């Protein structure tokens, strides 16, 4: 009986050690990356690294950067660069914010599929999102009060759009803040007077259409050749050089297999932008 009890105890210990040593990767931050791209990267990575588990929370770039500062994530996803104040806060806590560019993205304006407008100028886009223009009739539409959908303030896309398309001006009062790109597309798809912006990977949602700006459409090729004015890099942030499974996942993302997934999801690979 004693021998049998010892065997059972050893089996329990072995099981416990196996669970304790399982690779768990905590990734927080950008919805741009975290809603579609990173989950698909994670699935492929798990296929090649059985036993790895992922905890992915896509709640905005600011939350990803904050998670690196406070040590609650291995990787922080971000669609914007860390602010000087964030880098300072990290340094004060003994952390080093190391960015790794993992993909390029292009933002574009979307409207309801029933909206008759054929296109906008860069200036008209700015006027719409800042509230200088409030009715579709002013920009070639059939009339109706414009309903603006933006990302929320924790989003890197929220600040990127202000910088790239609005000359850093404030959004119009009454703009409705959404948790993610998919939510913006869903609301615009339901509202004939809706307008918003989304990244390349989210432009095929039902009920919407992408609006040309100054005669050009947002495409992967336009981002590759740097002709699209609303393009930006996206990042993984780590505390210094990553190690262990975090390093393996970063290397996988920027390696050949990961970059094929980047392209397939709708982003642009890091070696494609010349």
């Amino acid at each position: 009986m004693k021998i049998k009890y010892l065997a059972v105890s050893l089996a329990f210990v072995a099981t416990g050690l196996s669970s304790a040593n399982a690779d768990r990767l905590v990734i927080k931050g950008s919805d741009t990356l975290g809603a579609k791209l990173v989950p698909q990267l994670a699935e492929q990575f798990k296929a090649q690294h059985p036993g790895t588990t992922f905890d992915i929370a896509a709640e905005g770039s600011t939350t990803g950067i904050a998670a690196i500062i406070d040590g609650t994530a291995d990787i922080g996803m971000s669609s914007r660069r860390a602010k000087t104040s964030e880098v300072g806060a990290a340094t004060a806590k003994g952390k080093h914010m190391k960015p790794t560019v993992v993909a390029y993205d292009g933002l574009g304006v979307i409207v309801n599929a029933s909206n008759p407008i054929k296109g906008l100028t860069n200036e008209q886009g700015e006027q719409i999102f800042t509230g200088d223009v409030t009715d579709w009739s002013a920009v070639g539409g059939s009339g109706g009060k414009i309903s603006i959908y933006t990302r929320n303030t924790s989003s890197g896309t929220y600040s990127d759009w202000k910088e790239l398309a609005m000359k850093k001006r404030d959004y119009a009062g009454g703009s409705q803040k959404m948790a993610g790109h998919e939510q913006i597309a869903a609301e615009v798809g339901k509202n004939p007077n809706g307008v918003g912006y989304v990244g390349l990977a989210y432009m095929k949602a039902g009920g919407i259409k992408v609006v040309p700006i100054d005669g050009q459409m947002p495409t992967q090729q336009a981002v590759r050749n740097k002709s699209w004015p609303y393009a930006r890099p996206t990042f993984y942030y780590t505390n210094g050089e990553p190690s262990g499974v975090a390093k393996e996942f970063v290397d996988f993302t920027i390696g050949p297999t990961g970059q094929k997934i980047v392209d397939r999801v709708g982003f642009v690979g890091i070696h494609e932008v010349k």
Side-chain angles (χ1 to χ4, degrees), residues 51-186:
T52 304
T53 61
F54 285 81
D55 182 355
I56 302 170
E59 299 173 341
S61 298
T62 298
T63 65
I65 292 171
I68 298 302
I69 296 171
D70 63 25
T72 58
D74 302 298
I75 295 173
M77 305 174 287
S78 183
S79 61
R80 63 167 175 82
R81 293 188 182 278
K83 300 173 184 176
T84 302
S85 60
E86 292 167 329
V87 173
T91 301
K93 290 192 173 185
K95 306 289 176 60
H96 171 61
M97 300 289 294
K98 182 183 186 300
T100 300
V101 178
V102 295
Y104 287 87
D105 188 24
L107 297 173
V109 176
I110 58 169
V111 297
N112 187 273
S114 67
N115 193 316
I117 66 167
K118 302 290 191 239
L120 296 168
T121 65
N122 180 48
E123 182 181 12
Q124 286 173 329
E126 176 189 342
Q127 290 172 334
I128 287 172
F129 285 97
T130 57
D132 291 343
V133 166
T134 60
D135 195 281
W136 284 112
S137 60
V139 290
S142 58
K145 182 176 172 56
I146 298 173
S147 296
I148 301 170
Y149 298 93
T150 78
R151 287 297 314 281
N152 55 36
T153 55
S154 67
S155 161
T157 302
Y158 177 91
S159 55
D160 279 346
W161 189 252
K162 284 182 69 171
E163 182 168 343
L164 294 170
M166 298 167 58
K167 299 176 183 174
K168 300 184 179 180
R169 298 175 61 196
D170 289 333
Y171 286 94
S175 298
Q176 301 175 68
K177 297 177 175 64
M178 302 287 110
H181 294 257
E182 291 175 322
Q183 288 81 1
I184 290 177

Side-chain angles (χ1 to χ4, degrees), residues 26-56:
V26 179
I27 305 177
K28 298 181 180 181
S30 167
D31 168 82
T32 301
L33 294 174
K36 286 189 176 184
L37 176 57
V38 171
Q40 292 192 36
L41 288 166
E43 284 304 311
Q44 183 61 42
F45 185 85
K46 285 192 292 185
Q48 298 178 10
H49 300 78
T52 304
T53 61
F54 285 81
D55 182 355
I56 302 170

